[in-house]
Structure formats: C-alpha cells, structure tokens
Amino acid sequence: DDRGCDILSYDLELRLDPSAGTVTGTVAVGFAALADGLDTLRLDLVGALTVTGITRGGGCAPFLHTGAALHVLLAPPAAVGRPDTVVVSWQGRPPRHGPFRAGLMFRSHDAGTPLDPGDDVPVIANVSQPWSAHSWWPCKDLPADKALVSLAVTVPDTLSVMANGTLLGTDPADPGWRRWAWREAYPIAPYLVSVAISDYVGWDEDCRPAVGGPVPLEFRIFPQDSAKAAFDLAPTCAMVEMMADLAGPWPFPGEKYAQAEIIWAGAMEHQTATSFARFLLTGTGYFENFVIHELAHQWFGDSLTPATWADLWLNEGFARYCEALWLERSRGPEAYRQYLQQIGPLAHPDLFTEQGLLGDPDPILPNLMVYDKGAWLLHSLRLLLGDRDFFAFLADYATRPELVHGTVTTADAVAAAERASGRDLGAFFTAWLQTTAVAEIAAEVVVTPRRGGTALVAVTLEQRQDPVFPVAVPVVVTTAQGTSREIVRLEDRRGTFSFTVPAPVAAVAIDPDSLVLMRRAAPAPPPLAVAGPAPNPVPAAGAVFVVTPAADGPVTVRVYDARGRLLGSHDLGSLPSGQPFQWRWLPAAADGRPLPSGVAWLEFRSAGGRAVRQAVVLH
C-alpha cells in the first residue's frame, strides 16, 4: 500500500511534558507523488491525539481525521517529480498502543528511596514496533517507506535526550526547559524513530573494529545503575567486531551506536540508539544475549528493513541467530549447541509444527516463532551450505548496495543464499517458511569390514514428511583411532551415503549433538519380513517362521540345499499386509521324505518382497 506517495523526510519538533504526560508537536512531511493527480495525502495518527492545523505552501490545508487515518486534501493535486511538503500540528496524551501496550510512554525511575516518590525521576521513551509510531506522531506508519528524519525535542532541563543519528546541539528554551536537536542521516522506518529521556549519566567509547571505520559507542544510564551497566554492556565493542566481521562494516558510518536505559519490559533496536530495559542490567552479564541481539538488528532490521511485516523473520531470526554466533565465538561450539537447544526443542517441544507459518506469522508480535524458528532456519541453512558459503551469504546479503539502507523481502535473502552457494534453494526456503513441516527421518546403518582393517559405512536416510526438502545431517563414526564427522545432505526422499573409515567401527551415531531440527522415525518395514526359524537347528518336528508382508497378496516358499538344488516349495496363500503369520515348516522333501541333516535355504517371496533364511536341519 504505497498510498500513491513516497515519503522523503520528516522534520519533527516536539515538546514533551512529563508532568502532564503530553506531547505538543509539528512535523513537516516531505513527500513526492508517484503519479500525477495525487489529491489526498493519507497519514496515520491515533484518534486520541488532536490535529490543531495543517499547512501546505504557507496556507491552510483542509483535512479529515477519522479513527487513525489522517487525510490531507491537496489542492492543487501533487504532481510527479515535484517534491511537496505539508506541516501537521498536533497535541494530546499518547495512549498505550499496539500488541505491547507501548507507544510513547511517560514513566519514572526511583532515585534512591523507594518509599518516597518525591525523588522519582521522569523517564520518557517509546517502543513503536510494529505499528505504534502513529500513536505519538503523524506519519505513514509502514516499514516499506523509509525517510530521512530530523528530531528536535524540548524537555525539562534536568533531563537529557538520546535519539537517532547525530546530536546537532542543545539550546535553552523556556525557563527550565532545553531543546535537543538530532538528525538521522540515513533512511529510517517510522517504527525505528526513537526518543529516550531521563537524568542520564554516561560514558563514551571509541570502538575500532578491524573491518570498516570507527564506531563511537555511547551509553546513557540512570545514575544508580551505572556500575551494573558498565559490566553488562562491556562486551559491546567486541560484539561490533564480530558483526563487522560477519556482516560488513557498521552500516551507519559517521553515526554512533547508543544504548539508553528505559523503563519497559524488554529492549528495542531503534536505529543507532537501542533502548534497553532497566531490569536487563544486573551487573552479572546474565542478559548478554539482549546486547548482541539489538546490535545485530542494526544490520538486520535497521539497515535492511522488511518491506512487509510478514517477513519479520528477516529481523528477528537473523538477530536471534547472531546470539548463537556470539556464544559460539566467545564460549565455543558447545555453548552454541546448547543455546540452539534452548530456543528449539526445549522451548518448542512441537518443533514449531503447531505455531503457524514462519513466512506469514500470526500474530506478527509478540511471536517467539519468528525469533526461534528463524534462527533454526539459518542454522540449518549453514549445515546445508557449509561454513564458507553460509558466511559468504551473510556478508553478501548485509552489504549488497541495492539493499543497504533500504527495504528487503524474503526473496532478497533467498537470492543472496543462492548466489553464495550456486544452487537452487527454493525447496528449502519454501518448506521452512510456507509450511509447518519438520523433518521426520529414518536412518539405517550398515558397516562392512574391509581388508586391512578399514570399514565401509553406508548410511541410508529417508524423509517421511511432506514436503520433502533438503536437509543436512551430521554422522559421527567412532573407531579405535577416534571419531570422524561427516555431513550428509539428503536432497530427496531417500538416499544412501557411503564413506570409508581407516579402522574397525565401534559405533555410528546419527546427529548425536541434536543439530538437526527433526523427529527420528523408525526405518520403514521391509516389503517382506521373515523371522525364524525357531528353533534353529531344526528338529524333525519342524520349526516356526513368522511372516509379515507389507502388502496384501500371495506368499510362496522355496527350499534349497547347500548346492542350490530345489528341494520343495510351499504356498502360504494370500496373506494380509502388516499381519504376522506363523508358519510351521517340516524339514521334508517334496516327496515327503525327511531332509538329511545339513544346511537348507528357504526363499520367501511376496508381491514386491523377497527374504532368504538359513536353517540347520539336525536329526
């Protein structure tokens, strides 16, 4: 829904009154018509806020504000190729809004005496994901239409303001008030526009990753939490180093990366200025995963922003997977594996099969599936492609010029993965994103000793689910010389993979570290299963065979001696599928004479099945 226009810029001027919980503001909305004759500019603004006037070209512009829709009538209509501007003035008390009951929030933090509210300090901050920006300022509240933003905020002079981009300066306003002017130099989606306001103390750090230019780090914290925050946020520069190594240089060169403490229930990756909830600062590093998660969003979510909310996994799945990559880099492969278990089978015993489609989540938020299944998709893609191609994909996707600072779709991520790997990945992504399927895999292992002490290991894997999709499965072989690891890639419903090991095999394990999101299935029953004889050796009184065909139909038996001569045949009749049938065999030739002691071979045949069993006849 482009609404016939492209938003070019927002110039916001806000006055936020923490005592009243109100906003008074103007915004100059720069836009361009996408076709001649645009006579209405539709913006979004909740009905709880009051529009006090709109101007265009210095004159008043008529408007209609109904519900959350603000229609500005353009007379004369806007023309293609001629940038235009309307200026909207509004005021009011922003309501709690969206799935998180957030929007622009007026709260406070205790400054030292919990029982005395007199020393409480205001905290003003917003969380606008996914569509709550219009709960506090007029905008086209769609992620696909990014624009340049300048933001000036006037607040009591006891408070300071953190916002997107670069601080241009501060100036006294009315007595007791101060104006803070910020500018974001890179296109930004409305939900990522941010203010975080309180009596912050802080520190700055000059972070210089090996890839790209310097990244100024800024930390703005409530005074009483500064020691805890200094410990918890200390890894930030190392995390920037990892992200630059994986996904390219800091995507907003010339601008800082800030983390500002707020009062809320989580953290939010506002562009260049993450908001970080107070409860996450413990002084123990317990919530370290939040720090890397929000930082990763600067690449995956802020620079590359999904064009529609249906593709939210491009934000949350990538950021969640970066949590696992940070653990792998900082603590090793076992920490990586354990974290995948925590966000996979342990948190989702159904393996996401009952949680809807990752490619079209409902609800958009809150929805852990887009985080956790999205991360598992990327981990599974890494297994399938191998590290070289997978990390080439990450770097290409995050740094491709036509995507950086723009909007992306799942098709863009698929194209990057296919470029890096040189293979068609449509079946893989379709299964993960557009179905609720999970791999159900049956495995059979056959080990054949070879001369010289080597062995041939044959692993047969079969997918039982629909649709069939490419899946990579680790196989670990243990010998007297140690263990070896193979990744077998099953592209079809069934495949057999063979490899030679240099010593006798002690054990073969299929995915012993649970790195594959799958259910383990029993091997498919053979077309004809035969158990027996019992007893063996077979006495003159005979022995019992248990015959189970996989399909309805006739079953016959032929008996041969050790030299291959036919001794006799038997017709067991038409047997039902899946039903064990007991047949007693008397060791006699076709003419009824008892067979002499020795070895006999019995060949069982059914429709599509054959089984051979050895019997030792003993008198």
Side-chain angles (χ1 to χ4, degrees), residues 49-74:
L49 298 176
T50 301
V51 177
T52 56
I54 299 180
T55 61
R56 180 190 184 211
C60 291
F63 64 90
L64 179 64
H65 188 193
T66 59
L70 175 59
H71 298 272
V72 184
L73 305 183
L74 305 176

Side-chain angles (χ1 to χ4, degrees), residues 50 70 125 155 186 260 343 364 389 414 461 479 509:
T50 301
L70 175 59
V155 294
Y186 299 92
I343 64 173
I364 296 295
D389 288 352
V414 174
L461 301 179
T479 71

Side-chain angles (χ1 to χ4, degrees), residues 387-595:
D387 280 7
R388 185 193 65 181
D389 288 352
F390 176 79
F391 289 113
F393 148 64
L394 276 189
D396 176 42
Y397 175 58
T399 60
R400 186 153 284 263
E402 61 265 32
L403 303 181
V404 169
H405 303 141
T407 58
V408 291
T409 65
T410 288
D412 294 313
V414 174
E418 292 183 338
R419 280 194 300 271
S421 63
R423 56 182 294 172
D424 183 347
L425 295 169
F428 174 88
F429 280 99
T430 296
W432 276 89
L433 293 167
Q434 302 303 328
T435 81
T436 59
V438 65
E440 297 181 21
I441 295 180
E444 295 180 79
V445 177
V446 176
V447 177
T448 305
R450 294 285 186 87
R451 290 181 179 179
T454 65
L456 178 69
V457 178
V459 177
T460 299
L461 301 179
E462 181 182 4
Q463 296 189 56
R464 298 284 179 79
Q465 83 290 342
D466 287 313
V468 171
F469 55 92
V471 59
V473 182
V475 177
V476 176
V477 180
T478 302
T479 71
Q481 296 183 5
T483 60
S484 61
R485 173 187 169 94
E486 301 282 344
I487 302 292
V488 300
R489 293 169 174 84
L490 180 62
E491 307 278 352
D492 301 310
R493 184 165 295 279
R494 183 179 174 90
T496 298
F497 310 89
S498 299
F499 38 90
T500 300
V501 293
V505 173
V508 178
I510 307 300
D511 188 29
D513 297 322
S514 299
L515 292 175
V516 182
L517 196 72
M518 69 174 181
R519 296 193 178 109
R520 296 175 186 264
L528 180 63
V530 177
N536 194 17
V538 180
V544 173
F545 290 87
V546 178
V547 182
T548 309
D552 294 346
V555 176
T556 59
V557 185
R558 290 190 173 193
V559 182
Y560 299 86
D561 66 13
R563 290 185 292 177
R565 292 180 303 178
L566 180 65
L567 301 177
S569 61
H570 305 271
D571 185 355
L572 305 188
S574 182
L575 302 183
S577 64
Q579 300 297 317
F581 174 77
Q582 287 192 356
W583 173 62
R584 175 171 289 277
W585 172 60
L586 296 176
D591 59 7
R593 288 180 298 171
L595 295 181

Side-chain angles (χ1 to χ4, degrees), residues 133-154:
H134 70 281
S135 73
W136 59 286
W137 61 283
C139 60
K140 181 181 174 184
D141 202 356
L142 296 173
D145 202 342
K146 301 171 84 167
L148 300 177
V149 171
S150 65
L151 175 63
V153 186
T154 300

Side-chain angles (χ1 to χ4, degrees), residues 9 63 217 618:
S9 63
F63 64 90
L217 303 180
L618 184 63

